[in-house]
Amino acid sequence: MDPHTMTERTIHRDDRSSDPEIVAPTQAVRGSGGQPRRAAAGAARNDTLHPAGRRNLVSLDLGSSGGRLHRAELTDAGALAIEEVHRFENGPVQIGGRWYWDFLRLWQGIGDALGAVAPRLEGPATLGIESFGVDYVLLDPSQAIIAGLRHMRDPRTRGLFDTVYATISKADLYRRTGAMEIEINTLLQLIADRRDQPWLLDLAQDLFLTPDYVANLLTGRRVGEVSIASTTQLVDPATRQWDVELADRFGIPRRILPPLVESGT
């Protein structure tokens, strides 16, 4: 679910045809600059798809400016036949000097995308959700959204690392979480919530990062995926679990942090 840990696949499409191109998967390897380096893989044309009833793979990619849904099938040769099924817009909204995600529009786009792919699926299907990290939704005990989903670029977290380092040293924070010093991290956003609107965390029963909330709405499961959770600056990379002692230091309730699961579970 996290863009830094997903397998990337090269997709080529002939605009003159509605048929999906057959491509072989390529594993993305991140270099020191964070840019993907693709291992060599050739495209295999004229392959035949598995018979109807074999597994369908569906990828939902939620980006900062739009979403895309792709459907893929494994061919007899082990390559992937990939087609883009649907696109929709996404983007932040500014209200009263604050920046929010328009999750209602995002959810409508997701529904339209799933509706578009449903007639193309035959047999079992697997859905993978990829999204930006750090941003989250807070739910009350009735599972209602408590407040609008704040956007990572909202200015409320500017300069907050000074507050953080008054409580924990920079070295110790990095040792505990392995996360980069970025002001958009979930930790700083939650500290800003506690400072500006403390009742939000007092009322909250659950916290979901964006892709986890989409998965929760679709499945009802109360879990967080560990790679996307690592963007919060609240996960211990050694145990791959929440650092609840760190959360305690900043008044973040343990109860809101969902159990973490591995990718693909």
Side-chain angles (χ1 to χ4, degrees):
M1 295 163 72
D2 181 78
H4 296 291
T5 59
M6 287 189 66
T7 297
E8 295 190 359
R9 295 175 174 88
T10 304
I11 302 171
H12 301 284
R13 175 185 279 282
D14 186 340
D15 292 334
R16 297 168 296 178
S17 170
S18 60
D19 294 331
E21 175 107 8
I22 309 297
V23 299
T26 62
Q27 179 70 42
V29 181
R30 297 282 166 179
S32 59
Q35 296 301 316
R37 303 195 306 271
R38 290 187 175 88
R45 295 178 180 269
N46 301 320
D47 255 325
T48 57
L49 298 178
H50 278 305
R54 297 294 181 92
R55 172 169 289 185
N56 293 275
L57 309 174
V58 179
S59 170
L60 179 61
D61 176 12
L62 305 177
S64 59
S65 61
R68 300 179 299 171
L69 187 139
H70 289 88
R71 183 185 71 89
E73 291 185 40
L74 290 172
T75 69
D76 291 324
L80 286 175
I82 304 176
E83 65 171 334
E84 182 181 285
V85 177
H86 190 77
R87 281 178 178 258
F88 53 94
E89 293 184 353
N90 185 33
V93 177
Q94 188 179 37
I95 303 175
R98 299 179 176 91
W99 287 96
Y100 298 89
W101 288 109
D102 187 352
F103 188 80
L104 298 180
R105 181 176 66 166
L106 183 62
W107 181 242
Q108 180 65 55
I110 292 170
D112 292 344
L114 294 176
V117 77
R120 303 170 185 243
L121 301 177
E122 298 182 38
T126 297
L127 173 64
I129 304 170
E130 184 275 333
S131 170
F132 42 84
V134 307
D135 293 336
Y136 55 90
V137 58
L138 295 173
L139 305 181
D140 70 12
S142 73
Q143 297 300 285
I145 296 176
I146 294 178
L149 280 68
R150 297 292 281 273
H151 190 276
M152 63 182 73
R153 298 303 179 186
D154 188 271
R156 65 192 176 129
T157 58
R158 290 177 183 169
L160 262 184
F161 269 114
D162 291 340
T163 299
V164 172
Y165 295 145
T167 301
I168 184 174
S169 71
K170 182 176 182 178
D172 192 25
L173 181 62
Y174 184 77
R175 180 187 61 80
R176 297 180 72 123
T177 68
M180 296 175 61
E181 182 184 295
I182 307 176
E183 288 185 334
I184 64 175
N185 289 345
T186 311
L187 172 62
L188 270 70
Q189 295 197 48
L190 289 169
I191 292 172
D193 281 342
R194 178 57 78 190
R195 178 196 63 197
D196 301 337
Q197 298 173 288
W199 56 88
L200 292 180
L201 293 180
D202 293 339
L203 293 173
Q205 183 65 39
D206 293 297
L207 176 149
F208 289 109
L209 295 172
T210 304
D212 294 330
Y213 185 48
V214 173
N216 172 261
L217 290 173
L218 294 174
T219 68
R221 295 188 66 198
R222 182 186 181 269
V223 295
E225 191 273 324
V226 68
S227 67
I228 198 73
S230 69
T231 69
T232 64
Q233 208 167 16
L234 283 165
V235 170
D236 182 336
T239 64
R240 302 176 71 81
Q241 297 297 323
W242 298 110
D243 187 335
V244 292
E245 293 181 357
L246 180 63
D248 290 344
R249 293 193 190 189
F250 294 100
I252 300 167
R254 297 186 182 193
R255 68 175 181 276
I256 70 176
L257 303 174
L260 295 181
V261 298
E262 295 295 325
S263 303
T265 60

